[in-house]
Amino acid sequence: MKKTNEQAIAGRIIWMIIQYVSLLFFSFVAVIPVVSCVITAFKTDTEYQNTNVMTLPESWLNFENYIRAFDKANMGRGFINSAIILVCVLLISTFIGTQLAYVLDRFKFFGNGLIRNLFLFASQLPGVAMQVALYEIMYKLHFINSMVGYIILMCGTDIISIYIYIQFFENIDYSLDESAIVDGANYFTIFYKILLPLLKPAIVTSCILKGVGTYNEYYCANLYLQDKTRVNTVATSLYTFVGPLGSKYNLICAGVIISLLPALIVFITCQKQIYSGLTQGAVKG
Amino acid sequence: MANSKQIAKPKRSFPDWLRSRDGQKVLVMVAFMIVPLVLLFVFTYLPFGQMFGFSFYNMKYIGARKFVGLKNYSKVFSRKDCFGALKLSLYYMLGSVVQLGIALYLATILSFKVKGGNVFKGLMFFPFLINGIAIGFIFKFFYTRGFVFDTVLQWCGFQLDNLPYWLRDQRINNFSLVGTSVWRYFGQNMVLFIGAIMSVDSELYEAATLDGANRFQQFKYIILPSIKTIITLNVILSITGSLSAFEPPYVITDGANGTGTYFVVMHEIAHTQQKVGLASAMAIVLLIIILIVTGLQKLFFKYVFKSGEDEDPRAAIKREKQLARISSRKGGAAV
């Protein structure tokens, strides 16, 4: 009787140790590749050549690599372009996404299910494969090296936010619409004056997800925004380091760290929304 | 928006109809759906159709095109670097199994009260938010001979001479690449699982703890049944994901030394060699395979979960009964 109690306590302690050891181990695994980059980014050229990569830098205030990387990779331009792209894509896609979700949720019409399925199917096509043919279309539309073209491309199919919006609309009582209709409001008024303000939490969530995705997108950006001196984004400006600079890792690491700072800041400030947005999107998708 | 006006104009001859409820309804539907549908058509379904057409031609993006019938398709299956590349998917499938296992394990730990849980969660999730190119550089650096990974292993007592070249040695380099993908996504999977676990009524856990169910029993009887759906979903998604694996080799090795997955080879053929016809055929072949796999998965889901949905209340009752059984057993032992 007493023995089982002791065993239970011992078991709990062992389980506790296993828990923390696993958490520490996997956190270490998750962090070490990035931490090693931070360490290296603070080293001077001679220091980088003469010490082991995991030896701490002499000075944590040596920002020279950051400045050089920022310059070499034209990252100032990249940040401006990425900001323009982000603002436009988020505005437009929120606008068309909420409108589409409104119609799909509130109106029963022939083809409603078909349209939903078209979007769902589109989301299952691997993007890399689609670009083989899309490249020609973008070329014909004169969208190569065009920020406008890239922005329009990025505003396209985005099943996750549409699902998040539809889910949100489902939870807004239809009687709200009905009473507005009785009062004589038309559908545009209902959408803009009544429903859109209620949708704010969903908009914030999906904008954060879409924002991080757009900021990190590099494949299409590299393919369609080829002129890296003019239309580079933050992500594609890192391509500067492919080639002759390819072994100057103190420089490269600094560039990498700069490029992931915005994502880090968004993550720290909006952790909750990111988690909940992901969960919502995944359960439905 | 411009389009909606164009459509509205001819309707002017029925102003009454337009002002009626029905007219309003059609107007708002057209106005709200035209842009996303045009985008969907131009950037997804039009290229999809064109790609099908391209696959019968010998062509570049610019210049003359020659109709070659099914030749591109026979090349896809006969060229060693094309269809053969699909066997690399096996590495990625294995990786996703490992990844889901780790994610599930950590999610279980973190769904109970743990000191610093949010910090751990954040640290493990963050890799998901790093852009692909940065990941490429990070891991080229990480795996370089004598650099980060080798140093860490030396701390653990390994000799540098016994360690392989992680990205060059063909016996090991695919595992190295799959490792980066596990590194990137296990935190995200973990967050999804935590979300699913948290959606279970917390009273269930409290009741179970009070009744003396241990962690393993709680996992088996409460957590596992409640997240069965999302696990299955993720396992299934990982199959199609593995078939279309692209990013790790593309950003880290550029497909060198036998790491070129199907899509990396296709990308190279399309955008570097500009054999657009062959690349299109490759894309179509894989899309068909993915569609078949997805179809099978749908069937599987229907077969396994359709009855599951109807039985949900019954399953819950069963779970409660099992819990009661554990608690009675435990209670018996404790008294």
Side-chain angles (χ1 to χ4, degrees):
Chain A
M1 161 78 231
K2 209 177 175 189
K3 208 174 178 189
T4 52
N5 245 347
E6 271 167 20
Q7 272 176 346
I9 291 168
R12 209 160 286 172
I13 291 172
I14 290 172
W15 169 238
M16 194 93 125
I17 293 170
I18 293 175
Q19 252 181 4
Y20 282 103
V21 168
S22 337
L23 285 176
L24 284 171
F25 173 75
F26 283 105
S27 299
F28 177 77
V29 169
V31 158
I32 197 72
V34 181
V35 167
S36 64
C37 268
V38 176
I39 293 174
T40 304
F42 281 101
K43 288 181 177 174
T44 61
D45 284 352
T46 38
E47 219 185 328
Y48 165 68
Q49 273 153 18
N50 297 327
T51 59
N52 182 284
V53 283
M54 294 307 282
T55 319
L56 297 182
E58 273 168 27
S59 156
W60 285 102
L61 294 171
N62 173 26
F63 287 102
E64 202 196 322
N65 289 322
Y66 290 94
I67 297 164
R68 271 199 296 164
F70 194 86
D71 253 20
K72 266 246 157 61
N74 199 11
M75 287 180 106
R77 184 82 247 171
F79 273 104
I80 294 171
N81 287 340
S82 282
I84 296 171
I85 291 169
L86 263 182
V87 171
C88 295
V89 167
L90 290 185
L91 272 180
I92 298 171
S93 65
T94 304
F95 208 61
I96 61 180
T98 49
Q99 289 182 338
L100 181 72
Y102 168 69
V103 173
L104 288 181
D105 183 63
R106 288 305 204 236
F107 296 88
K108 306 275 165 283
F109 60 95
F110 179 76
N112 189 319
L114 176 72
I115 291 177
R116 285 178 195 230
N117 281 329
L118 282 179
F119 275 95
L120 185 65
F121 182 74
S123 72
Q124 309 218 318
L125 301 173
V128 180
M130 300 311 293
Q131 305 312 324
V132 172
L134 192 52
Y135 189 86
E136 215 224 2
I137 293 171
M138 294 288 279
Y139 181 80
K140 282 195 175 142
L141 289 170
H142 300 285
F143 276 176
I144 308 287
N145 281 330
S146 149
M147 294 263 287
V148 176
Y150 179 70
I151 289 169
I152 293 176
L153 174 66
M154 284 291 109
C155 289
T157 58
D158 175 18
I159 190 80
I160 303 267
S161 20
I162 294 174
Y163 269 132
I164 292 178
Y165 293 140
I166 288 182
Q167 226 176 333
F168 211 85
F169 273 122
E170 279 171 359
N171 291 328
I172 300 175
D173 202 343
Y174 190 64
S175 63
L176 208 62
D177 300 39
E178 275 173 344
S179 58
I181 291 174
V182 172
D183 289 345
N186 67 25
Y187 291 109
F188 290 92
T189 327
I190 295 174
F191 177 73
Y192 284 108
K193 292 270 158 68
I194 302 175
L195 295 176
L196 204 56
L198 288 175
L199 213 59
K200 218 168 115 195
I203 292 176
V204 171
T205 303
S206 81
C207 274
I208 292 170
L209 284 186
K210 178 105 187 168
V212 172
T214 309
Y215 176 79
N216 282 343
E217 206 285 326
Y218 68 93
Y219 183 74
C220 292
N222 185 39
L223 210 55
Y224 300 123
L225 301 175
Q226 298 162 347
D227 183 351
K228 298 282 188 302
T229 57
R230 202 166 52 79
V231 287
N232 59 324
T233 66
V234 175
T236 59
S237 52
L238 291 180
Y239 275 100
T240 318
F241 300 114
V242 179
L245 289 171
S247 59
K248 292 200 112 190
Y249 276 110
N250 51 347
L251 200 62
I252 295 174
C253 286
V256 165
I257 300 296
I258 294 173
S259 83
L260 55 85
L261 278 182
L264 182 65
I265 293 167
V266 170
F267 177 57
I268 290 171
T269 48
C270 312
Q271 229 177 49
K272 265 208 185 112
Q273 277 103 333
I274 292 182
Y275 293 151
S276 73
L278 270 181
T279 318
Q280 283 169 28
V283 170
K284 271 269 170 173
Chain B
M1 281 295 146
N3 281 14
S4 68
K5 270 181 205 149
Q6 276 169 15
I7 290 166
K9 253 181 205 161
K11 300 264 164 70
R12 281 280 149 79
S13 48
F14 314 99
D16 290 338
W17 178 81
L18 197 62
R19 243 173 275 141
S20 73
R21 260 305 135 199
D22 281 344
Q24 288 276 312
K25 222 177 205 174
V26 173
L27 192 68
V28 77
M29 269 166 44
V30 172
F32 279 9
M33 294 204 305
I34 190 87
V35 180
L37 285 181
V38 166
L39 287 178
L40 181 69
F41 175 74
V42 172
F43 293 124
T44 305
Y45 288 102
L46 185 63
F48 188 63
Q50 281 208 314
M51 198 155 67
F52 190 66
F54 288 173
S55 65
F56 299 107
Y57 284 87
N58 191 350
M59 59 178 278
K60 294 189 170 190
Y61 285 114
I62 310 161
R65 320 186 153 178
K66 199 175 133 218
F67 184 81
V68 291
L70 288 171
K71 234 182 206 160
N72 284 325
Y73 285 95
S74 68
K75 259 193 210 159
V76 171
F77 291 102
S78 61
R79 266 177 69 150
K80 223 179 145 215
D81 59 340
C82 292
F83 205 66
L86 267 184
K87 68 173 181 284
L88 291 186
S89 307
L90 290 175
Y91 289 101
Y92 291 86
M93 276 180 213
L94 186 72
S96 40
V97 171
V98 172
Q99 173 186 320
L100 290 174
I102 295 172
L104 189 56
Y105 172 63
L106 294 168
T108 311
I109 292 178
L110 284 174
S111 59
F112 296 110
K113 276 212 177 76
V114 176
K115 270 209 183 94
N118 264 334
V119 178
F120 287 123
K121 191 171 157 189
L123 290 177
M124 291 187 278
F125 177 78
F126 184 67
F128 178 66
L129 298 179
I130 301 176
N131 70 73
I133 288 301
I135 288 191
F137 284 117
I138 290 174
F139 279 99
K140 269 186 236 171
F141 177 62
F142 184 80
Y143 283 130
T144 302
R145 183 77 171 167
F147 279 17
V148 188
F149 194 38
D150 288 349
T151 308
V152 172
L153 287 178
Q154 278 170 300
W155 290 346
C156 302
F158 287 91
Q159 292 292 317
L160 186 59
D161 297 332
N162 298 335
L163 295 175
Y165 284 82
W166 299 106
L167 294 178
R168 235 186 284 164
D169 190 334
Q170 301 225 2
R171 282 167 302 171
I172 196 97
N173 57 7
N174 280 307
F175 287 108
S176 309
L177 291 180
V178 170
T180 68
S181 155
V182 173
W183 174 81
R184 192 173 181 192
Y185 292 108
F186 81 89
Q188 185 245 13
N189 280 346
M190 180 188 79
V191 166
L192 290 186
F193 289 151
I194 292 176
I197 294 173
M198 289 303 175
S199 66
V200 179
D201 194 353
S202 62
E203 277 175 24
L204 262 181
Y205 297 117
E206 279 163 29
T209 317
L210 277 180
D211 291 341
N214 68 23
R215 289 289 153 93
F216 181 70
Q217 286 163 329
Q218 288 185 33
F219 176 77
K220 194 173 164 197
Y221 295 112
I222 306 178
I223 296 178
L224 207 55
S226 65
I227 58 172
K228 203 171 65 185
T229 318
I230 196 165
I231 295 177
T232 320
L233 192 72
N234 270 291
V235 169
I236 282 172
L237 280 179
S238 72
I239 298 173
T240 34
S242 307
L243 288 174
S244 45
F246 174 72
E247 222 172 337
Y250 175 68
V251 294
I252 299 172
T253 58
D254 213 5
N257 294 320
T259 56
T261 57
Y262 191 83
F263 270 164
V264 172
V265 175
M266 187 200 72
H267 170 89
E268 154 86 15
I269 288 176
H271 298 290
T272 311
Q273 303 176 16
Q274 294 237 344
K275 291 182 182 167
V276 182
L278 179 58
S280 297
M282 282 184 82
I284 294 286
V285 167
L286 193 61
L287 286 178
I288 290 173
I289 294 175
I290 287 178
L291 287 185
I292 292 172
V293 172
T294 315
L296 288 177
Q297 289 161 358
K298 286 252 164 70
L299 278 180
F300 173 78
F301 236 75
K302 226 177 190 170
Y303 181 70
V304 176
F305 286 101
K306 190 69 181 182
S307 50
E309 261 168 41
D310 304 333
E311 277 176 3
D312 223 0
R314 248 189 287 163
I317 293 168
K318 211 166 130 198
R319 214 182 316 161
E320 254 150 49
K321 269 188 194 155
Q322 277 165 335
L323 269 171
R325 223 184 307 140
I326 305 163
S327 60
S328 67
R329 226 188 297 150
K330 271 276 163 181
V335 172

